[in-house]
């Protein structure tokens, strides 16, 4: 078949302009041999090799020591362990790859071997694995057994009141870590103050970071506002380091500085960072990231934030790029680093692609599945929209439920969220006033408490926010000053929660690999190690956690269905009356059409799935029958609630042999008494799409069949709606309620309808 222009246009209509542009750029980038960058194999990627003499690395990945750049030198000195290297490098890459997916090979053995592998060898090994194998290996190799998640808490105004409120909600949702950043860099101290207080509302132990310029970020940490840092960037090319005025040694010093003050620290790297900076050296994304991860292990970082991060959209535009993101995360956990596995920067506007990208991490588990789930709305995400944001929160919770996979989150109800927001706003407002930082009035507090995002708030003006930040920094306000202020304001629980984190910093317990705090206890690779060795091992949600995963908002149950229908009952009684006339008998009128209605129609249920009152449906149906020369007779059946059997039972009582089966939800059939139960004349199964005009035509066709004619069947067409997904839960509950009303031996009951007002079609 030759594609016509219109067919081509339709084929691509689901991609917006940005996605289509990315596809075109993608083709250009990969096919340009001069640039040579790709996801898995670059033009200048070295061949894995290692020569060691006298305990010194002489050659690594084909490069002699005399030609090492700063990254080679650091990796050779601090990552590679000579006593392991000879054994590990001698193993074929395919053998190591198979060990990664062999459930009988223990994780500890593989992390030992990784300490002797060069960056090129590490990249070569994981490149052997397909996407399914990468996900399986990741599930096996991650350090901590119990998965977790991290939230972005920011807003477009850098409004501290909203930050505090949103941080409190993020804590309640189950995020183990909260990260903020600023639209205006000089607002960093105000943001840190707000999120620190907000994260202490509701429970203790949620870790917090303020992503700022590295030196200032360290100062904020030293002042006690933050408990972790992860924006210590490392790169896979020397030129990128130089461009950032850094070296691996300066980054290692910064890591030590954080650790010395009890602040948890991860580095940040990720595919395409070097490409974005213009220093890719024609090497693959995977090889460059392998270098970054070896650096991080060598500098003693607690973990890594990788998986593309800001470069994920660029990596995702390349063939195999999303697979590469998964491969680099596998490298991280193979090197025994805590892994905040990316999934923050949204790599596509396609919901399908975003969902597909998150799924391997959700089902495999990760220390932090997202290194920034936007717990706020997209437009308020100052990091740029994440893969998931406030708009997709419910979808993520449902994904957890669907796969019984622990994504670290839980549902909270609206009233609880509002109470937490108000508590956080009150606590921060008191501190701002008590420390002479700003005045907050009730109008501001109320507008933020009930707002979904910053577009709905009437709050502090930008100049005031910047002034708050300047005063906090210039007066050297610390977390101790804030705690004293909170205590004066009567916020004792918040003080206790902040003190709990300060004590953890003194003990250093949460500086262990993959450490988070759950229910007042540090959970890490030490006391919660991942020991996956096949089915029945590794992390499994407890029964209590399974119930929590299933407990999403707006779950429909039998009581909800009946409660909703009860709200319609009074109005419907004002439109129609169903008069019981005793047992129905067989008719003799050859023009009649018997309408067999289900047990709950008009007694428990009062409108169709399309929202039409049943009184209007029946009146419209009657009009269609009578206008075509027929007579409508209504019979209620209690021996069945099935549409086909309702129609067949009605047809067998009809003088014409034609009957209509009608369920409460609006599903209908036209049947003949001599046909098999499910071999009807016409069926109207898409009740949500069936209009009153359709029911009018249904009645007309039934009357035509009664006269011995063969009318053209009626089609109820849609636009491809997923009606099953949208309505089947309600349909199943309605049908279950109606079948519970049936009983054996029930006799058909003649019903006379009395319409109290005309229906509008």
């Amino acid at each position: 078949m030759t594609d016509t222009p219109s067919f081509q246009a339709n084929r691509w209509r689901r991609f917006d302009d940005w996605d289509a542009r990315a596809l075109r750029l993608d083709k250009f980038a990969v096919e340009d041999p001069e640039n040579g960058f790709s996801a898995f194999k670059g033009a200048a990627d070295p061949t894995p090799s290692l020569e060691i003499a006298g305990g010194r690395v002489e050659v690594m990945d084909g490069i002699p020591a005399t030609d090492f750049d700063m990254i080679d030198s650091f990796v050779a000195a601090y990552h590679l362990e000579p006593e392991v290297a000879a054994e590990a490098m001698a193993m074929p890459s395919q053998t190591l790859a198979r060990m990664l997916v062999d459930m009988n090979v223990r994780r500890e053995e593989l992390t030992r071997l990784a300490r002797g592998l060069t960056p090129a060898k590490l990249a070569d090994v994981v490149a052997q694995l397909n996407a399914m194998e990468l996900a399986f290996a990741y599930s096996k190799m991650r350090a901590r057994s119990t998965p977790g998640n991290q939230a972005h808490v920011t807003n477009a105004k850098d409004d501290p009141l909203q930050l505090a409120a949103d941080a409190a909600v993020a804590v309640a949702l189950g995020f183990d870590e909260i990260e903020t950043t600023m639209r205006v860099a000089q607002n960093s101290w105000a943001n840190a103050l707000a999120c620190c207080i907000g994260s202490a509302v509701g429970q203790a132990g949620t870790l917090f970071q303020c992503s700022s310029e590295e030196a200032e970020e360290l100062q904020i940490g030293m002042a006690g506002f933050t408990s972790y840092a992860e924006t210590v960037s490392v790169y896979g090319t020397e030129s990128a380091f130089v461009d950032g005025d850094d070296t691996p040694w300066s980054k290692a010093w910064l890591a030590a500085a954080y650790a010395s003050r009890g602040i948890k620290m991860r580095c940040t790297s990720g595919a395409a960072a070097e490409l974005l900076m213009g220093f890719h050296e024609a090497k693959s994304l995977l090889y460059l990231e392998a270098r970054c991860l070896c650096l991080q292990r060598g500098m003693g970082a607690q973990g890594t934030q990788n998986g593309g991060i800001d470069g994920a959209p660029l990596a995702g535009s390349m063939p195999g790029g999303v697979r590469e993101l998964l491969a680099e995360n596998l490298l991280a956990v193979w090197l025994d680093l805590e892994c905040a596995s990316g999934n923050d920067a949204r790599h596509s506007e396609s919901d399908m692609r975003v969902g597909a990208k998150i799924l391997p991490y959700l089902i495999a588990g990760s220390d932090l599945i997202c290194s920034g789930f936007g717990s706020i709305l997209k437009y308020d995400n100052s990091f740029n929209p994440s893969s998931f944001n406030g708009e997709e929160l419910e979808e993520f919770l449902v994904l957890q439920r669907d796969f019984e996979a622990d994504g670290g989150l839980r549902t909270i109800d609206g009233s609880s969220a509002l109470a937490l927001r108000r508590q956080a706003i009150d606590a921060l407002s008191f501190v701002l006033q008590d420390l002479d930082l700003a005045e907050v009035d009730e109008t501001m507090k109320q507008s933020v408490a009930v707002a979904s995002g910053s577009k709905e708030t009437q709050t502090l003006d930008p100049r005031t926010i910047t002034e708050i930040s300047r005063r906090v920094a210039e007066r050297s306000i610390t977390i101790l000053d804030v705690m004293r202020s909170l205590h004066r304001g009567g916020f004792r629980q918040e003080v206790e929660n902040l003190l709990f984190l300060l004590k953890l910093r003194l003990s250093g317990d949460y500086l262990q690999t993959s450490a988070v705090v759950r229910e007042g206890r540090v959970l890490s690779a030490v006391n919660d190690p991942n020991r996956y060795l096949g089915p029945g091992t590794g992390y499994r949600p407890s029964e209590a956690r399974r119930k929590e995963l299933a407990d999403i908002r707006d779950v429909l149950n039998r009581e909800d269905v009946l409660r909703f229908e009860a709200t319609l009952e009074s109005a419907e009684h004002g439109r129609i009356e169903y008069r019981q006339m005793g047992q129905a008998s067989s008719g003799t009128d050859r023009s009649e059409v018997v309408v067999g209605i289900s047990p709950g129609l008009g007694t428990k249920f009062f409108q169709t799935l399309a929202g039409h009152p049943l009184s209007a449906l029946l009146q419209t149906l009657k009009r269609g029958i009578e206008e075509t020369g027929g007579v409508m007779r209504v019979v209620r059946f209690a021996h069945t609630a099935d549409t086909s059997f309702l129609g067949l039972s009605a047809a067998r009582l009809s003088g014409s042999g034609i009957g209509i089966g009608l369920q409460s939800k609006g599903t209908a059939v036209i049947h003949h008494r001599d046909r098999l139960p499910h071999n009807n004349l016409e069926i109207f199964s898409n009740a949500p799409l069936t209009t009153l005009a359709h029911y009018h035509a249904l009645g007309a066709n039934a009357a035509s069949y009664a006269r011995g004619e063969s009318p053209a069947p009626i089609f109820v067409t849609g636009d491809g709606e997923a009606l099953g997904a949208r309505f089947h839960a309600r349909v199943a509950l309605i049908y279950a309620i109606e079948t519970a009303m049936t009983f054996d031996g029930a006799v058909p009951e003649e019903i006379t309808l009395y319409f109290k007002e005309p229906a509008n079609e």
Side-chain angles (χ1 to χ4, degrees):
M1 173 182 174
T2 301
D3 286 345
T4 63
S6 60
F7 179 73
Q8 287 280 17
N10 287 332
R11 171 183 286 178
W12 296 107
R13 71 185 186 281
R14 295 200 56 161
F15 287 97
D16 68 9
D17 288 343
W18 289 104
D19 266 336
R21 209 172 304 168
L23 288 169
R24 292 194 292 273
L25 289 172
D26 169 22
K27 184 173 185 291
F28 168 79
V30 175
E31 292 185 358
D32 184 350
E34 252 183 64
N35 287 327
F37 43 81
S38 72
F40 278 89
K41 190 64 179 174
D45 279 4
T47 301
S49 64
L50 185 66
E51 296 177 20
I52 298 178
R56 284 177 49 86
V57 176
E58 299 292 337
V59 178
M60 184 176 70
D61 293 337
I63 304 169
T66 54
D67 294 334
F68 280 177
D69 64 11
M70 67 170 69
I71 298 174
D72 295 322
S73 299
F74 196 94
V75 169
Y78 300 108
H79 160 64
L80 284 169
E81 297 183 7
E83 61 273 20
V84 181
E87 173 193 359
M89 290 297 292
M91 300 177 72
S93 294
Q94 191 173 67
T95 299
L96 287 165
R98 288 176 175 174
M99 291 172 70
L100 284 168
V101 295
D102 186 343
M103 65 183 69
N104 299 302
V105 179
R106 297 181 66 85
R107 178 182 185 275
E108 293 79 1
E109 172 62 10
L110 284 158
T111 55
R112 182 187 72 84
L113 291 171
R115 298 196 290 269
L117 297 176
T118 66
K121 183 74 169 182
L122 287 163
D124 190 53
V125 171
V126 297
Q128 312 285 321
L129 304 175
N130 65 28
M132 181 183 69
E133 293 160 347
L134 288 167
F136 178 82
Y138 189 82
S139 177
K140 170 184 167 180
M141 293 304 300
R142 58 191 177 84
R144 189 183 69 241
S145 180
T146 306
N149 220 325
Q150 180 197 108
H152 282 166
V153 176
T154 64
N155 65 70
K157 297 177 181 176
D158 288 344
D159 173 34
L161 298 178
Q162 186 179 337
L163 288 169
D166 288 338
V169 171
V171 169
L173 287 167
F175 288 103
D176 297 295
E177 295 182 353
I178 290 173
E179 180 181 15
T180 194
T181 195
M182 297 68 61
R183 297 286 171 101
V184 178
Q186 59 184 323
N187 291 342
S188 56
W189 289 90
N191 279 35
L193 172 66
C195 285
C196 178
I197 292 174
S199 66
V201 173
Q203 67 183 53
T206 302
L207 308 183
F208 164 61
Q209 175 199 359
C210 181
S211 178
S212 182
E213 188 277 329
E214 287 180 353
E216 185 174 57
E217 188 171 333
L218 183 60
Q219 290 176 331
I220 291 171
M222 297 301 186
F225 291 113
T226 58
S227 44
Y228 82 97
E230 69 176 359
T231 51
V232 179
S233 301
V234 298
Y235 305 100
T237 65
E238 184 176 274
S239 299
F241 262 114
V242 172
D243 187 62
D245 197 26
D246 277 308
T247 71
W249 288 269
S250 67
K251 296 295 187 178
W253 180 89
L254 193 56
Y258 277 115
S260 71
R261 294 299 185 269
I263 301 175
K264 178 182 175 182
M265 194 223 74
R266 288 187 293 271
C267 292
T268 290
S269 56
E274 299 80 12
L275 182 55
L276 285 170
M277 296 176 72
F279 300 114
H280 55 81
E281 297 180 356
K283 293 170 182 172
S284 69
L285 306 185
L286 183 61
Y287 170 69
L288 293 177
E289 184 57 17
R291 300 186 90 198
C292 291
L293 292 166
C294 289
L295 281 175
Q296 292 170 61
R297 199 190 86 78
M299 68 176 61
Q302 187 170 347
T304 183
Q305 177 188 215
N306 72 328
I309 312 305
D310 288 342
L314 183 53
S317 73
M318 298 181 180
V322 174
R323 175 178 159 231
E324 189 282 335
L325 300 180
L326 185 52
E328 68 180 65
N329 277 317
L330 174 57
L331 282 180
V333 295
W334 188 11
L335 289 165
D336 207 22
L337 296 167
E338 173 186 59
C339 188
S341 49
N343 299 306
D344 51 358
R346 192 177 184 95
H347 80 295
S348 172
E349 288 296 330
S350 162
D351 291 339
M352 182 182 292
R353 292 184 69 200
V354 171
K357 181 174 180 285
I358 197 73
L359 190 57
Y361 305 95
L362 182 63
I363 60 178
S366 182
D367 292 321
L368 296 161
I369 290 172
C370 298
S371 55
F373 184 123
S375 63
I376 35 68
L377 298 179
K378 289 178 186 176
Y379 73 78
D380 266 333
N381 196 331
S382 300
F383 290 96
N384 286 325
S386 298
S387 292
F388 288 83
N389 299 274
E391 292 91 338
E392 293 91 19
L393 179 60
E394 302 287 352
E395 293 181 17
F396 188 87
L397 292 169
V398 172
L399 278 178
Q400 288 187 147
R401 183 202 64 174
D402 288 349
F403 288 94
E404 284 198 341
D406 196 338
L409 305 189
R410 57 178 172 263
T411 298
I412 59 172
D413 61 72
S415 59
S416 298
L418 184 58
L420 289 167
R421 293 179 69 83
R422 285 176 170 154
Q423 178 73 359
I425 292 167
D426 287 343
L428 176 63
S429 298
F430 180 85
V431 170
L432 291 176
Q433 182 170 340
D434 186 56
L435 297 182
D436 193 27
L437 297 172
E439 293 288 334
V440 177
D441 62 39
E442 288 300 318
T443 299
M444 295 178 185
K445 292 164 67 173
Q446 180 62 18
S447 77
V448 171
V450 299
S452 297
S454 61
K455 291 180 180 179
E456 302 169 13
T457 62
Q458 300 172 18
T459 183
L460 297 164
D461 64 80
R463 185 173 299 172
T464 299
I465 295 168
T466 300
E467 183 64 17
I468 292 170
S469 192
R470 185 188 65 78
R471 289 182 181 181
V472 172
E474 289 183 355
R475 289 163 51 188
S476 300
I477 292 174
T478 70
I479 191 64
L480 294 177
D481 299 312
V482 173
M483 289 165 63
R484 293 189 190 101
S485 177
L486 287 169
H487 190 272
R488 287 192 291 271
F491 298 95
R492 299 181 64 89
Q493 188 58 59
E494 285 71 24
V495 174
E496 290 292 331
N497 292 347
L498 290 171
L499 182 61
F500 171 77
L501 278 179
L502 286 183
K503 290 178 180 177
L504 283 182
R505 285 180 60 168
L506 291 174
S507 69
D509 282 349
Y510 77 152
L511 299 185
Q512 299 163 8
T513 300
S514 302
V516 293
V517 184
R518 296 277 180 90
E519 298 177 355
R521 175 172 171 261
V522 174
L523 213 59
S524 73
V526 173
N527 61 357
D528 183 35
N530 179 25
R531 293 196 174 112
Y532 179 78
L533 290 171
T537 65
Y539 177 77
R540 292 291 188 278
S542 66
E543 189 57 35
R545 180 58 177 148
R546 278 196 184 90
K547 289 181 180 177
E548 198 171 41
L549 292 172
D551 186 24
I552 61 172
R553 294 196 304 177
D554 299 326
V555 172
L556 194 66
N557 58 36
R558 182 180 186 276
E559 289 68 31
D560 291 330
V561 171
L562 291 175
R563 193 179 301 116
F564 171 74
E565 293 293 332
T567 65
L568 309 171
E569 184 173 6
S570 177
E572 187 68 345
H573 284 172
R575 293 188 285 258
I576 189 172
E577 181 181 342
Y578 298 84
R579 295 177 178 174
Q580 301 172 7
M581 308 302 292
Q583 182 174 345
S585 57
S586 297
T588 57
D589 186 345
R590 291 183 173 275
S591 65
E592 78 172 356
V593 175
V594 173
V595 178
I597 61 175
S598 58
L601 192 151
T603 59
K604 289 186 179 294
F605 300 100
F606 305 98
Q607 75 172 21
T608 72
L609 292 177
H612 307 304
L614 290 174
S615 57
L617 185 163
L618 289 165
Q619 194 169 359
T620 301
L621 192 64
K622 183 173 186 288
R623 189 179 299 133
I625 292 171
E626 292 177 347
E627 287 176 356
T628 317
V631 175
M632 184 174 88
R633 181 160 66 104
V634 178
V635 175
R636 187 187 301 279
F637 293 98
H639 72 290
T640 183
D642 179 87
T643 319
S644 291
F645 282 99
L646 286 170
L648 182 59
S649 299
R652 288 174 176 171
L653 289 179
S654 174
S656 68
I658 298 298
I660 293 174
L662 182 62
Q663 288 181 319
S664 297
K665 55 189 175 65
T667 307
V669 296
I670 304 175
H671 225 307
H672 189 280
R673 64 182 167 211
D674 295 331
R675 300 180 74 85
L676 294 172
H678 297 293
N679 191 15
N680 49 68
L681 294 171
E682 293 188 45
I683 186 167
F684 297 77
S685 57
N686 288 340
L689 302 179
T690 308
T691 66
L692 291 179
H694 287 128
Y695 290 114
H696 183 280
L698 183 156
N701 271 17
S704 293
Y705 286 119
R707 294 164 56 177
E709 299 171 354
S710 297
I714 300 157
F715 294 99
V716 179
T717 59
D719 292 321
E721 298 94 333
L723 296 180
R726 194 177 305 173
F727 292 100
H728 268 188
R730 183 174 295 276
V731 165
L733 288 166
I734 291 172
Y735 190 62
I737 294 168
E738 290 214 274
T739 54
M741 298 172 68
T742 65
F743 57 95
D744 292 338
V747 297
E749 184 177 49
E750 192 90 22
I751 299 292
T752 296
L753 302 179
Y754 174 62
F755 297 106
K756 302 178 182 180
E757 60 180 52
N760 295 317
E761 290 187 27

